[in-house]
Amino acid sequence: MIITEQKELEEIVRSLRGRRRVFLIGCGVCAATWGTGGEKEAAGMEARLKEAGIDCAGWIVTEEATCDARTTRRVIRRNREAIASSDALLVLSCGAGVQTVAALADLPVYPALNTLFLARIQNLSVSDERCRLCGACILAETAAICPVTLCPKGLANGPCGGYEDGMCEVDRERDCAWVAIYERMEALGQRGQFTVIREPKDWREDLHPGFVNKRAQKASV
Ligand code: SF4
Ligand code: SF4
């Protein structure tokens, strides 16, 4: 899941400079689950904007993810009258959702959230980053624990010389990712894999912006 947080109202109002009436679009998947862009948050944002002197023409939360252009296009179409009476859209989703709306709407579009990371949800208050979307997953070699994300140095072979009592030298409050990998391999009876030297990561596989066209890929096979 993509983890987001709401921006301070002051920042949102500042970015809306001079806009008098906005329409809000929330995301029914990640932001709704994480409590930053669902129905409750959209209604709350509407009330806070009104207090700040900005009128709202209404709000909608996309049933699917806002970053899915297929369904967001329909949502915009269904709400075209309210949107036409607005002079901006404020989107409560990750940055991908905001940009999806921007590509579909001919009004100025603004983000209400900060996009933080791709995470495992432990419960509805606690989530932790588990994947940096590096483009070439090495979890098969690391007992399904990601050193690219969990080791601050992103080491492909660890631990470095700085770990102490299982904790990371960069942050003594955090477990060393490579100690965790060792312990899991040992628990799974795979300790022999630990000493295999892994190739350095090829960061050319982490090129941004990413782009995929599955149809073109099939055609070239
Ligand atoms: S190795 Fe790369 S793709 Fe796999 S979990 Fe880590 S960051 Fe994500
Ligand atoms: S102590 Fe462990 S997690 Fe921290 S930088 Fe070194 S290898 Fe990476």
Side-chain angles (χ1 to χ4, degrees):
M1 175 177 291
I2 304 289
I3 300 300
T4 49
E5 65 175 9
Q6 279 202 2
K7 287 179 177 290
E8 295 293 329
L9 184 66
E10 204 177 79
E11 183 186 343
I12 295 172
V13 170
R14 205 168 42 239
S15 66
L16 288 172
R17 291 180 292 275
R19 311 281 171 203
R20 301 231 160 267
R21 191 170 160 85
V22 298
F23 187 81
L24 312 183
I25 299 179
C27 170
V29 181
C30 297
T33 304
W34 190 239
T36 51
E39 294 188 357
K40 186 168 149 234
E41 294 77 32
M45 181 64 71
E46 178 181 36
R48 289 161 67 214
L49 287 174
K50 276 184 179 160
E51 276 172 27
I54 298 173
D55 191 22
C56 286
W59 56 262
I60 187 77
V61 174
T62 56
E63 282 167 32
E64 309 293 337
T66 305
C67 59
D68 187 335
R70 299 166 304 170
T71 46
T72 297
R73 181 179 291 109
R74 285 202 292 273
V75 166
I76 289 175
R77 211 178 289 140
R78 277 203 301 267
N79 291 277
R80 59 181 172 271
E81 281 176 23
I83 291 174
S85 74
S86 311
D87 50 12
L89 294 170
L90 182 66
V91 183
L92 294 84
S93 80
C94 73
V98 176
Q99 291 178 73
T100 302
V101 172
L104 296 168
D106 47 13
L107 282 180
V109 175
Y110 298 94
L113 309 183
N114 292 319
T115 306
L116 303 180
F117 49 80
L118 179 58
R120 164 182 70 171
I121 303 296
Q122 298 192 33
N123 56 51
L124 289 182
S125 302
V126 180
S127 69
D128 54 349
E129 186 173 12
R130 301 310 284 189
C131 175
R132 293 182 65 181
L133 311 170
C134 76
C137 193
I138 59 167
L139 289 177
E141 301 166 54
T142 59
I145 294 173
C146 175
V148 178
T149 309
L150 302 178
C151 167
K153 297 175 188 173
L155 297 178
N157 296 281
C160 68
Y163 83 97
E164 200 174 288
D165 295 330
M167 307 308 277
C168 173
E169 75 162 342
V170 177
D171 177 355
R172 291 287 183 218
E173 302 290 308
R174 285 207 237 174
D175 293 334
C176 166
W178 277 100
V179 170
I181 290 167
Y182 176 82
E183 288 174 349
R184 183 163 163 82
M185 283 182 176
E186 190 172 47
L188 295 172
Q190 301 171 342
R191 202 168 59 173
Q193 283 186 22
F194 190 77
T195 49
V196 173
I197 304 295
R198 283 155 287 269
E199 291 288 316
K201 194 158 172 47
D202 184 349
W203 288 102
R204 286 172 299 183
E205 287 152 347
D206 192 28
L207 277 183
H208 294 275
F211 178 79
V212 175
N213 181 341
K214 288 202 285 183
R215 279 200 194 133
Q217 281 171 350
K218 268 190 203 147
S220 66
V221 171

